[in-house]
Amino acid sequence: AQTVTQSQPEMSVQEAETVTLSCTYDTSESDYYLFWYKQPPSRQMILVIRQEAYKQQNATENRFSVNFQKAAKSFSLKISDSQLGDAAMYFCAYRRMGSGGSNYKLTFGKGTLLTVNP
Amino acid sequence: DAGVIQSPRHEVTEMGQEVTLRCKPISGHNSLFWYRQTMMRGLELLIYFNNNVPIDDSGMPEDRFSAKMPNASFSTLKIQPSEPRDSAVYFCASSFGWSNQPQHFGDGTRLSIL
């Protein structure tokens, strides 16, 4: 079974600084998707960024970028120029790719609570 | 565009009562998911529908839980009878297809069973 591990329960960053959130996963599959979701105090789950395992290029979305290391099964999220609105719980998630099986299932990590200090 | 709409946002009820949570997926999405979020277990998939048909309900914890999707624009998750350990945040999510499209989540329903 796939597992997703976020080893940092909490992180903090100063406004305008850069922070990196860690995520590792375990899978025997070669093709899959990885996601980062943000959950602010409002509780909504917001998709931040997505990475396809077959793509070597790291995904970027404005101030958010990932460092995808397939061999190491690592998928970290970098937030540049941190803003107060970035304060939230961040979840890393995994999903299989391809047809058949349970590839609709998202497996989530336990989350990292990010605090942004003014 | 309207996102996934869930109601109610908060629900407080006494043990033993029936609870019904509602979800309206994004128009055009044909996959719908119900999740439960707790501190202890994190986010867990309860049930998955594709084209209104339940495909995987292996995450439904007990027979007290049931879910329906009578049409493409509406789904319910029902707990009867409710117990204090059912207290959690319940999320509904939808996507177009299920293979390569991301899931979009609603705002969740915070359920408290006294």
Side-chain angles (χ1 to χ4, degrees):
Chain A
Q2 292 82 18
T3 58
V4 177
T5 302
Q6 294 179 248
S7 59
Q8 307 153 315
E10 297 184 25
M11 291 282 286
S12 64
V13 64
Q14 290 296 127
E15 197 175 2
E17 297 294 308
T18 296
V19 64
T20 298
L21 309 184
S22 300
C23 173
T24 58
Y25 56 95
D26 184 28
T27 183
S28 58
E29 303 289 332
S30 59
D31 291 323
Y32 47 86
Y33 298 97
L34 295 164
F35 305 85
W36 278 98
Y37 279 89
K38 168 185 176 181
Q39 187 177 38
S42 65
R43 206 170 65 211
Q44 186 182 12
M45 291 285 287
I46 302 165
L47 178 63
V48 174
I49 201 163
R50 177 175 95 164
Q51 174 80 43
E52 291 87 347
Y54 62 84
K55 290 186 177 179
Q56 293 186 340
Q57 187 173 6
N58 289 324
T60 62
E61 196 70 43
N62 299 318
R63 297 181 296 106
F64 297 86
S65 61
V66 299
N67 183 4
F68 173 49
Q69 302 289 327
K70 191 172 184 179
K73 296 180 182 176
S74 172
F75 183 61
S76 60
L77 174 70
K78 186 171 82 171
I79 306 174
S80 303
D81 185 25
S82 297
Q83 300 176 359
L84 295 178
D86 295 333
M89 183 74 86
Y90 286 81
F91 292 94
C92 179
Y94 166 100
R95 196 176 81 201
R96 287 178 57 198
M97 187 184 291
S99 60
S102 59
N103 58 338
Y104 49 83
K105 282 190 176 181
L106 273 173
T107 301
F108 287 91
K110 295 292 188 183
T112 297
L113 180 62
L114 178 67
T115 302
V116 181
N117 301 310
Chain B
D1 290 339
V4 175
I5 299 172
Q6 290 186 246
S7 64
R9 186 156 173 80
H10 304 277
E11 174 87 11
V12 180
T13 192
E14 291 188 348
M15 181 176 67
Q17 297 297 307
E18 178 179 290
V19 174
T20 300
L21 310 181
R22 298 173 177 80
C23 175
K24 177 179 170 57
I26 292 173
S27 178
H29 283 189
N30 61 348
S31 291
L32 185 138
F33 308 81
W34 282 101
Y35 290 88
R36 179 171 66 177
Q37 184 180 33
T38 61
M39 288 292 292
M40 289 296 294
R41 300 173 68 91
L43 274 154
E44 304 172 280
L45 177 66
L46 299 178
I47 188 168
Y48 158 57
F49 290 89
N50 184 249
N51 293 325
N52 311 339
V53 176
I55 303 299
D56 181 359
D57 64 355
S58 60
M60 297 285 264
E62 300 173 37
D63 291 345
R64 299 183 296 104
F65 286 70
S66 63
K68 294 182 179 180
M69 192 165 186
N71 57 63
S73 60
F74 184 66
S75 176
T76 60
L77 177 67
K78 187 172 294 186
I79 309 172
Q80 167 63 19
S82 57
E83 296 182 5
R85 59 196 170 110
D86 302 332
S87 299
V89 178
Y90 290 82
F91 285 99
C92 177
S94 72
S95 68
F96 179 70
W98 40 263
S99 179
N100 65 345
Q101 297 301 316
Q103 296 174 23
H104 298 268
F105 285 74
D107 289 348
T109 294
R110 180 175 296 279
L111 178 63
S112 298
I113 308 297
L114 306 177

